[in-house]
Amino acid sequence: MKKIVSMLLLSSLIFGSCTQNPEKETGKVRFMFDPGDLKFISSSFNPDLQTMSALYGNNDALSLLADPKHEQQQASLKLVTYKMQDDPNYFGSKVNGELISVEHISTGRNGKLEYRILFGQTPTSDSKEHRISLILDYEPVRFSQ
């Protein structure tokens, strides 16, 4: 009986020590953005910059994407950009890694679009107007029911 218990204990120590924690190996912790009451709209990735982005917004933001010239009362869009990293669970796939930036576009009191960087910095040195244009070019993902 003692041999069986000691064998079980030894095997659990051996196999228990074989588990890998990718966060400890790389020293990087993945951060998941909380969009609050905003809904997922679209995503993109840039293999040249090794980044991936997710666009979130409210219902007025969807209307704004459909017709950027139409005034929206309270449109709110957030573009969240991450550095890509290898997925430790699947060979050859990528997942979001380090958070690079959170950009926000909203409708101001005068009806004009306001652009702010809420976190980090943009991956390029584009002007505010160019960043607004790029974000408004996103096509919403259509989910079939």
Side-chain angles (χ1 to χ4, degrees):
M1 184 68 166
K2 286 184 180 181
K3 285 185 180 180
I4 294 173
V5 171
S6 62
M7 295 270 294
L8 287 172
L9 185 60
L10 182 61
S11 65
S12 67
L13 285 173
I14 291 171
F15 292 115
S17 64
C18 291
T19 59
Q20 295 179 347
N21 186 343
E23 291 177 358
K24 285 184 181 176
E25 288 176 11
T26 62
K28 297 178 182 175
V29 177
R30 287 181 55 208
F31 175 79
M32 298 304 293
F33 176 75
D34 180 11
D37 60 347
L38 300 179
K39 298 173 186 163
F40 173 79
I41 294 176
S42 188
S43 65
S44 66
F45 68 96
N46 185 330
D48 295 333
L49 294 176
Q50 286 292 297
T51 60
M52 55 179 53
S53 300
L55 182 65
Y56 300 94
N58 58 10
N59 289 333
D60 284 341
L62 285 170
S63 300
L64 179 64
L65 290 173
D67 183 11
K69 293 180 176 136
H70 182 66
E71 285 187 32
Q72 300 302 319
Q73 293 301 316
Q74 295 184 348
S76 179
L77 287 160
K78 289 185 181 176
L79 182 67
V80 183
T81 304
Y82 299 93
K83 191 79 175 158
M84 280 195 270
Q85 72 181 34
D86 292 330
D87 187 338
N89 299 312
Y90 298 100
F91 179 75
S93 66
K94 302 283 188 180
V95 294
N96 60 316
E98 177 186 355
L99 179 65
I100 296 174
S101 67
V102 177
E103 300 170 79
H104 185 240
I105 294 177
S106 61
T107 308
R109 291 185 205 142
N110 57 0
K112 292 182 77 174
L113 294 177
E114 297 177 354
Y115 171 86
R116 295 183 297 149
I117 298 176
L118 300 178
F119 176 82
Q121 47 189 308
T122 60
T124 60
S125 59
D126 294 337
S127 68
K128 288 182 179 185
E129 292 76 22
H130 190 250
R131 294 301 301 167
I132 290 172
S133 171
L134 288 174
I135 293 170
L136 293 181
D137 279 345
Y138 272 78
E139 286 288 325
V141 174
R142 304 279 184 223
F143 295 104
S144 59
Q145 296 180 4

